[in-house]
Amino acid sequence: PSPIKGEGRGPGNSKYFWLVLLFLFPLSTFYTPSSFCLPAEDVQLVTDAQYFKIAKKLIREAKHSIQVMMFEMGYYDRNPNTPSNLLIKELINAKKRGVKVEVLLEVREGEDRTAKRNRHTGKILSDGGVEVIYDPLFKTTHTKLMVVDGHLTLLGSTNWTHYALTNNNEVAVLIRSKEMAKELIDYFKKVKATGSK
């Protein structure tokens, strides 16, 4: 027979409530994600067209490493001086001067715009010596992230496309933090391990 309301093991039973509470309280007290409340020396708000100037400066001043994870990165053959093209060329230049440059891009099955753009851009980067990795087809990489020299992180809503860098309302943050950068590099490596070249 079905239990009477308020009896048995359902949520209406006070004994059930206290057992759940006793089980969850220690977990919430002792378990915290490793990315919780990381220290930062500085956090700078980056909006709209500021992103391009800051991203370009970061790439130009990089000394050791650059990791970029991007949902959409567009290289436009007919418009060589569009901002995304200039950032892509800066990545290639950084690689040529000895910086380790890794780029992880979203791809999907079929011929949608994002996959086409990213594969075209990926070829240009690869031809320039940059290591390009595509995420697995079953997973969407919606991240817009760049980590430079293991201590500077630029992340937010901005894709590397013409409209994102020139016309859209976009918000990002530039974070100066070795701890944050380390967590994000670890995350980058984790996603990279599931992708393909």
Side-chain angles (χ1 to χ4, degrees), residues 17-179:
F17 170 79
W18 288 110
L19 283 172
V20 170
L21 188 63
L22 286 171
F23 176 74
L24 291 178
F25 179 74
L27 286 179
S28 64
T29 305
F30 299 112
Y31 174 76
T32 55
S34 60
S35 60
F36 183 78
C37 201
L38 295 168
E41 296 168 45
D42 184 56
V43 178
Q44 178 184 341
L45 180 65
V46 179
T47 59
D48 304 335
Q50 292 174 337
Y51 182 99
F52 169 70
K53 293 175 187 174
I54 289 170
K56 185 177 174 184
K57 185 174 188 290
L58 288 173
I59 298 167
R60 281 192 170 175
E61 295 178 358
K63 292 176 174 57
H64 310 293
S65 62
I66 301 170
Q67 287 88 16
V68 180
M69 189 184 293
M70 197 63 52
F71 174 70
E72 192 167 355
M73 188 182 285
Y75 189 91
Y76 305 88
D77 295 316
R78 294 180 183 177
N79 300 294
N81 292 319
T82 199
S84 59
N85 286 22
L86 298 177
L87 292 180
I88 290 159
K89 289 173 185 174
E90 290 293 345
L91 289 176
I92 293 168
N93 290 339
K95 173 63 181 175
K96 287 177 180 174
R97 69 173 187 269
V99 177
K100 180 181 180 182
V101 183
E102 302 168 281
V103 175
L104 201 155
L105 297 171
E106 160 71 11
V107 288
R108 302 171 184 181
E109 285 185 304
E111 291 296 314
D112 75 315
R113 184 191 72 180
T114 299
K116 275 184 176 177
R117 274 190 183 165
N118 287 349
R119 288 195 186 280
H120 177 62
T121 303
K123 183 176 185 328
I124 288 163
L125 287 165
S126 292
D127 289 348
V130 173
E131 183 181 3
V132 177
I133 306 98
Y134 299 102
D135 73 346
L137 296 175
F138 60 84
K139 198 82 162 178
T140 298
T141 298
H142 204 247
T143 314
K144 295 95 176 175
L145 162 73
M146 179 166 67
V147 181
V148 177
D149 289 341
H151 74 281
L152 290 164
T153 301
L154 181 62
L155 80 152
S157 65
T158 312
N159 282 301
W160 286 17
T161 60
H162 177 74
Y163 281 108
L165 293 166
T166 61
N167 194 55
N168 292 0
N169 292 321
E170 303 281 0
V171 175
V173 285
L174 174 61
I175 304 165
R176 187 180 301 273
S177 166
K178 288 181 181 176
E179 292 83 0

